[in-house]
Amino acid sequence: MFEHRPDRDAEIILIGRSNVGKSTLMRELTGHTFSTGKKPGVTRKPNHYDWNAESFMFTDLPGFGFMSGVEKDMREAIKTDIVHYIEDNAEKILVGVLVVDGKSVIDIIDRHTNNDEIPHDVEMFYFLEELGIPVVVAVNKMDKVDDKDERLDELCDRLGLYPPWQQWSDDTIAPITAKRGQITSLREVLKHHLHEAKRDDLLKFVTK
């Protein structure tokens, strides 16, 4: 179980598979460098970056799903810890940012669906929704995607959102390339949700 969560009243969480760029995105949002690496599973515990005065923080949760060199039992334990963390802190989580790899997410979802499984990304999307946490899908690494509109439409379809993706761009779908600092669309969607939550006092943390 994850321990030592800072006692903050509000947070935005980043969740997603290993190696989708969560830590890079966290760096872009906070200006603070976190451990990143090509080897999946570098982040095993939550990384918190907080502002005590405002009682607010960003939390980068460990990656879930397949990780090279990590036993299945350990992967399942990490996923269970993530689920418990989100359940325990649901009332304090203003937004859940589900980070996916724009280049590979469709293949991953389809591969698991064909195995009669619920893909982790889809499962997590609905899990957050069921808890009443606004979900934003940050579709990362879009610089590596050729037909962007088609890919984003396909992702909406897999998540049960009616395409075209543009109709979800205000509150749910944010195409980004975190490595290049191209996260304006995500900042705009986060601003929308903070405003909806009547937390305009926190807008400065998602505005550059």
Side-chain angles (χ1 to χ4, degrees):
M1 203 46 197
F2 303 142
E3 298 170 357
H4 312 303
R5 177 190 181 276
D7 184 18
R8 303 292 176 260
D9 295 333
E11 69 180 303
I12 292 174
I13 60 169
L14 274 57
I15 50 174
R17 291 181 178 276
S18 295
N19 223 21
V20 294
K22 294 190 307 301
S23 298
T24 304
L25 178 55
M26 184 82 158
R27 184 186 67 215
E28 287 299 318
L29 286 167
T30 65
H32 184 76
T33 301
F34 296 86
S35 296
T36 61
K38 291 200 177 296
K39 185 179 178 187
V42 168
T43 309
R44 298 284 179 89
K45 300 267 179 171
N47 277 323
H48 305 287
Y49 195 72
D50 67 301
W51 290 267
N52 189 16
E54 284 85 358
S55 196
F56 168 74
M57 65 184 174
F58 284 100
T59 298
D60 174 19
L61 290 166
F64 55 75
F66 177 77
M67 288 174 264
S68 177
V70 179
E71 296 288 333
K72 185 177 180 182
D73 288 352
M74 173 62 81
R75 297 199 302 264
E76 287 300 317
I78 290 171
K79 187 183 168 203
T80 299
D81 283 347
I82 292 169
V83 167
H84 286 161
Y85 181 94
I86 295 171
E87 286 178 334
D88 292 346
N89 299 293
E91 290 185 3
K92 298 177 179 180
I93 298 172
L94 298 175
V95 188
V97 180
L98 176 61
V99 187
V100 300
D101 183 330
K103 189 170 171 63
S104 64
V105 64
I106 303 300
D107 292 339
I108 291 171
I109 288 175
D110 288 351
R111 188 164 66 240
H112 286 277
T113 303
N114 292 338
N115 292 336
D116 292 327
E117 302 173 50
I118 299 176
H120 287 324
D121 307 273
V122 177
E123 185 180 33
M124 198 60 74
F125 180 82
Y126 284 108
F127 172 64
L128 289 164
E129 283 208 324
E130 283 167 15
L131 290 174
I133 298 170
V135 195
V136 176
V137 184
V139 192
N140 196 19
K141 308 184 185 182
M142 287 302 289
D143 58 319
K144 298 179 180 177
V145 176
D146 294 329
D147 194 332
K148 294 179 171 56
D149 287 337
E150 184 179 332
R151 182 65 51 87
L152 293 168
D153 283 349
E154 287 179 346
L155 178 58
C156 284
D157 178 65
R158 304 305 191 274
L159 293 172
L161 304 173
Y162 197 71
W165 75 270
Q166 286 90 345
Q167 67 181 338
W168 303 100
S169 61
D170 289 340
D171 56 10
T172 308
I173 302 292
I176 62 170
T177 301
K179 204 170 187 178
R180 296 186 177 181
Q182 297 168 353
I183 64 166
T184 303
S185 59
L186 176 61
R187 291 185 188 279
E188 291 302 316
V189 178
L190 291 177
K191 280 196 266 188
H192 166 82
H193 286 297
L194 290 177
H195 181 68
E196 289 290 301
K198 297 182 170 55
R199 293 305 305 265
D200 285 1
D201 58 310
L202 300 178
L203 290 176
K204 60 187 176 183
F205 296 118
V206 296
T207 304
K208 195 167 183 179

